[in-house]
Amino acid sequence: MTAIHERPNRASPSEAGSFVEEFDRLEQDREEKIRALDAEFKVKKRAIQKAVNDDQKEILEDAKKHGVNKGVIRAIVDAQKLKRKAEAMIERADGKVDGLEDDDREFAVDIRTALGNDFAGFGLGAAAVEREEGDDKQDETTAAVVAAVKGSMTDEEWKAAGGQAH
């Protein structure tokens, strides 16, 4: 162990030790507060999950009584949830492009324009839209999802995405 030599501008070993002890005490205090906060958060999160699940269960039961398949509801909600996530990701990506220096930003915008700005602008996206439009034997869930997506777009947006006007 290295010896600490006392000098006029240096703390004694016992004084230095007191700094370490105080620092460590604060670190332990922080860890305990974070553990308690995490436990409290988990309890609140479980309560919120349970309350929402119970409310959703009631809605699904009411829908079933009125002849609405819960699979249709879940499919549409899942599609909307994915759409919100995609929009958030696009916004975040746009922010990254906006954060580039002028020349790089202009070049990135040019590249995006060349690639196309929507899913249907790409080969696989266009094929998927075409397949869904031409599929006369869509199952109930697929039809509901396609209808939800169509309903969230204007006729111009749907047509630009490769769909047929409704």
Side-chain angles (χ1 to χ4, degrees), residues 81-114:
K81 186 176 177 181
L82 288 171
K83 186 176 179 183
R84 285 190 299 270
K85 284 182 181 181
E87 288 169 351
M89 291 174 73
I90 288 168
E91 190 174 314
R92 193 168 60 233
D94 288 344
K96 287 183 178 183
V97 170
D98 292 343
L100 295 172
E101 294 183 17
D102 291 340
D103 290 342
D104 290 336
R105 184 176 49 249
E106 288 176 23
F107 189 51
V109 169
D110 290 343
I111 292 170
R112 282 174 127 184
T113 302

Side-chain angles (χ1 to χ4, degrees), residues 5-42:
H5 301 286
E6 290 187 38
R7 289 196 250 163
N9 293 335
R10 184 172 290 193
S12 69
S14 63
E15 289 173 324
S18 70
F19 292 122
V20 170
E21 288 173 351
E22 182 64 14
F23 191 89
D24 187 44
R25 185 192 65 73
L26 290 171
E27 188 65 28
Q28 290 174 12
D29 187 45
R30 173 185 15 211
E31 290 171 357
E32 182 55 36
K33 287 179 180 177
I34 289 174
R35 264 193 302 275
L37 187 62
D38 284 345
E40 182 181 331
F41 173 77
K42 287 178 182 177

Side-chain angles (χ1 to χ4, degrees), residues 39-107:
E40 182 181 331
F41 173 77
K42 287 178 182 177
V43 167
K44 287 181 179 181
K45 183 178 176 182
R46 271 188 242 118
I48 290 169
Q49 292 282 21
K50 184 181 178 342
V52 171
N53 287 345
D54 290 346
D55 290 345
Q56 287 178 333
K57 184 178 178 181
E58 284 181 33
I59 290 170
L60 291 175
E61 288 171 358
D62 287 346
K64 184 177 180 180
K65 290 176 186 175
H66 288 87
V68 179
N69 185 334
K70 70 179 179 182
V72 172
I73 294 172
R74 289 187 187 275
I76 293 171
V77 170
D78 286 348
Q80 290 172 325
K81 186 176 177 181
L82 288 171
K83 186 176 179 183
R84 285 190 299 270
K85 284 182 181 181
E87 288 169 351
M89 291 174 73
I90 288 168
E91 190 174 314
R92 193 168 60 233
D94 288 344
K96 287 183 178 183
V97 170
D98 292 343
L100 295 172
E101 294 183 17
D102 291 340
D103 290 342
D104 290 336
R105 184 176 49 249
E106 288 176 23
F107 189 51

